[in-house]
Amino acid sequence: MTNLPEVNVRNILKNSKALVSLMDNIRGQSLAIVPIYTFAIPEDYQKNESNPVIRVTPVPKEDAHYADNERFLVDTFVQVDFWVNKKDTSGLALMQDLIYQELHKNGYERYQPERSIDPDYPEQIMVTGLFRGRIYNEQS
C-alpha cells in the first residue's frame, strides 16, 4: 500500500472489475482508459458522454496514534467524487454503494455522503463521499 491515500484509493477503485463494468454499463460504452483520477479530471473527460467519472482527492487532515514515541497508526482522509448525468440517475445508488463496499473492504469508512447539482456542470449530479482509512507503520 502506498502512503499517498488518494493514490491508494484510486488504485482500489480502478482494480474493481465490478465498478469499472458498472461505469461502462451506465455510460453505454467503455472508454480507452478507466476514468478514475486523482486531483483533476482531464478536460476531454469532463463531458456528459464520459460520465460516470471518478475523482479522488486528499482531505487536509491526518490523525496519528503513537506508542513508545513512535507513530504506529495514521488515519488518512480522502474525498471521492463521481458525476452522473442528471437525465439518467438509474445507476447512481448502485455506484455509490459499490464505491463504499470496495473501500470498506479495504479499510476505509465513509463518514459524509452528499449529492448535489454541480454548479460548473448543471446537467450533471455530483456525488461526494468523505472516507477515512488507516495506514499502519510496518516497522512497529
Side-chain angles (χ1 to χ4, degrees):
M1 176 190 308
T2 180
N3 284 335
L4 296 174
E6 67 276 13
V7 173
N8 185 43
V9 167
R10 183 207 51 209
N11 291 342
I12 290 168
L13 297 175
K14 270 189 162 184
N15 289 324
S16 169
K17 291 181 183 355
L19 179 60
V20 172
S21 176
L22 175 61
M23 291 171 69
D24 290 346
N25 287 338
I26 291 170
R27 190 181 310 105
Q29 65 177 336
S30 60
L31 299 175
I33 49 87
V34 177
I36 302 175
Y37 303 96
T38 56
F39 295 101
I41 297 171
E43 197 168 317
D44 288 349
Y45 292 95
Q46 294 177 10
K47 301 177 180 114
N48 243 359
E49 309 81 56
S50 300
N51 286 340
V53 295
I54 298 174
R55 176 183 67 193
V56 182
T57 54
V59 173
K61 177 180 179 179
E62 183 177 275
D63 292 333
H65 305 271
Y66 294 84
D68 296 329
N69 293 324
E70 292 291 325
R71 216 177 226 219
F72 76 94
L73 173 69
V74 177
D75 288 329
T76 60
F77 300 85
V78 296
Q79 180 171 319
V80 178
D81 306 316
F82 71 89
W83 289 261
V84 295
N85 296 330
K86 188 167 73 173
K87 291 181 181 175
D88 181 10
T89 60
S90 58
L92 187 151
L94 184 56
M95 191 163 161
Q96 184 173 340
D97 289 346
L98 191 52
I99 289 170
Y100 171 77
Q101 291 168 14
E102 289 296 325
L103 293 180
H104 181 73
K105 73 182 180 187
N106 284 280
Y108 287 84
E109 187 60 41
R110 183 178 63 211
Y111 64 93
Q112 187 175 343
E114 182 182 351
R115 289 175 300 286
S116 61
I117 301 298
D118 188 326
D120 293 328
Y121 305 100
E123 71 282 355
Q124 301 176 20
I125 294 176
M126 180 179 177
V127 181
T128 297
L130 298 177
F131 289 84
R132 181 186 79 195
R134 293 199 150 166
I135 298 174
Y136 293 89
N137 182 350
E138 296 173 2
Q139 298 174 0
S140 35

